Amino acid sequence: MSKIKPFLRWAGGKTWLTKHIEEFLPTEFNNYFEPFIGGGAIFLYLKSKNYIKNKSYLSDSNQDLINTYRIIKSNPDALIKSLQKFKNTEEYYYKIRGTLFDNKIENASKFIYLNKTSYNGIYRVNSKGEYNVPYGHRKTKDLFEFDNILKISELFEKTYFSVTDFKKKCYETKENDFIFLDPPYTVAHENNGFIQYNQSLFSWKNQIELAQILKVLEQKKTHFILTNASHKSIDELYQTGNKKILARASNIGGTGAKRTNYNEIIISNATK
């Protein structure tokens, strides 16, 4: 069986962390929560390896993303049939980008298509909420990887999706549940700069709220793993759990872009 992988290209995706995640996992846990599901690399890895045995609650603030997950779970064949009509050309890209669909399956296929063919797979909208990333000129033979989509759909048994504020999902956890937290990074790695775009997605105020939530999770005996940029302000803010620094390669950049290693901080109370 070929390896199951995320069906989306996702800025800040955690595929790199799957090589290290076992050392942070609890020995056993009840239900799994992930309130910043994004590309879903950690969930897909844990589920495919049978670490997740009970219910999974996956959520995000991005409605189009959650709709796409729901369609993959409920109607992958119709989604694939829709995607087969899409063409990887610049003219067609801008036509689809500017088209409004009122069908959930077509909206899901549009979301995947734009993600796969846009510049770097970045998800960015303007002040009107319109996706405005330019065409990426990607020449990929197997653009959508339909076999992978079908395998992912099979993993979604006992998995529930919602468009929900992260705080609400965190407070829904109970003793011996496990929550993986991967918020949009508010500060750039190991420098003094704020990531301006992410400020609209996840502000410093949100970081403070999340740091307080970790204390509540600790008191409830909920297992947690949180990832963040390795930065002095993050280290000082989060005072709950055990911390470890891991290095990873940058996964964002166009042709010829400089690739560098970044340090990430992993905060967890879920060690074996």
Side-chain angles (χ1 to χ4, degrees):
M1 180 178 179
S2 59
K3 182 180 178 182
I4 294 175
K5 59 183 180 179
F7 64 95
L8 297 171
R9 305 152 71 207
W10 204 259
K14 290 298 179 289
T15 298
W16 66 270
L17 184 56
T18 59
K19 300 175 183 177
H20 311 276
I21 194 70
E22 277 95 346
E23 67 178 280
F24 301 103
L25 294 178
T27 303
E28 59 181 31
F29 56 89
N30 189 19
N31 294 324
Y32 177 82
F33 288 75
E34 192 169 340
F36 305 97
I37 185 60
I42 295 300
F43 166 79
L44 293 174
Y45 179 80
L46 295 178
K47 185 77 171 182
S48 65
K49 296 292 185 181
N50 203 35
Y51 284 112
I52 299 174
K53 296 179 173 62
N54 298 309
K55 295 178 180 178
S56 297
Y57 298 93
L58 311 180
S59 54
D60 203 278
S61 61
N62 188 323
Q63 296 185 34
D64 291 327
L65 174 65
I66 294 301
N67 173 64
T68 302
Y69 274 110
R70 285 171 169 161
I71 294 300
I72 288 179
K73 176 183 178 179
S74 64
N75 209 339
D77 293 328
L79 175 66
I80 289 172
K81 186 176 180 180
S82 177
L83 281 169
Q84 286 172 335
K85 303 174 185 176
F86 285 66
K87 297 177 288 187
N88 185 13
T89 67
E90 187 167 5
E91 180 182 3
Y92 191 78
Y93 175 86
Y94 287 110
K95 176 185 175 182
I96 293 298
R97 197 184 77 168
T99 301
L100 297 177
F101 296 105
D102 57 8
N103 178 286
K104 290 182 178 180
I105 292 173
E106 290 179 327
N107 273 322
S109 57
K110 175 184 176 180
F111 186 84
I112 295 174
Y113 170 75
L114 293 179
N115 175 271
K116 290 290 193 175
T117 56
S118 67
Y119 177 75
N120 270 340
I122 299 168
Y123 186 86
R124 185 184 67 204
V125 296
N126 61 21
S127 59
K128 298 179 182 179
E130 299 166 334
Y131 186 81
N132 64 356
V133 181
Y135 181 61
H137 298 277
R138 298 184 74 218
K139 304 301 179 185
T140 305
K141 185 176 181 181
D142 190 5
L143 188 64
F144 301 118
E145 300 175 300
F146 296 136
D147 287 344
N148 187 57
I149 288 176
L150 290 172
K151 290 172 184 174
I152 289 173
S153 180
E154 293 175 0
L155 290 182
F156 286 158
E157 183 184 4
K158 295 193 294 186
T159 299
Y160 306 92
F161 299 98
S162 62
V163 180
T164 314
D165 178 76
F166 74 94
K167 297 186 289 292
K168 183 176 185 295
K169 299 310 292 186
C170 288
Y171 288 126
E172 287 178 6
T173 62
K174 296 179 172 60
E175 181 177 348
N176 204 38
D177 285 341
F178 171 39
I179 185 167
F180 177 72
L181 298 155
D182 181 33
Y185 290 1
T186 310
V187 292
H189 294 79
E190 295 172 331
N191 64 39
N192 295 320
F194 281 80
I195 302 175
Q196 293 300 325
Y197 174 64
N198 279 359
Q199 283 289 299
S200 64
L201 298 175
F202 200 77
S203 66
W204 185 250
K205 178 184 176 183
N206 294 143
Q207 289 280 9
I208 294 172
E209 291 173 331
L210 189 51
Q212 294 299 316
I213 285 172
L214 286 198
K215 295 179 181 179
V216 176
L217 297 177
E218 183 81 9
Q219 292 170 355
K220 291 200 299 182
K221 297 182 180 179
T222 298
H223 307 291
F224 65 79
I225 297 175
L226 179 138
T227 64
N228 222 308
S230 179
H231 190 278
K232 182 181 178 182
S233 63
I234 295 295
D235 186 42
E236 292 175 347
L237 176 63
Y238 288 90
Q239 295 297 318
T240 307
N242 302 309
K243 300 173 184 175
K244 184 169 182 176
I245 305 298
L246 293 177
R248 69 156 175 89
S250 168
N251 63 344
I252 293 296
T255 303
K258 183 180 179 182
R259 302 286 174 162
T260 57
N261 284 338
Y262 290 120
N263 285 333
E264 308 258 342
I265 187 168
I266 312 298
I267 306 173
S268 173
N269 71 341
T271 51
K272 296 177 181 178

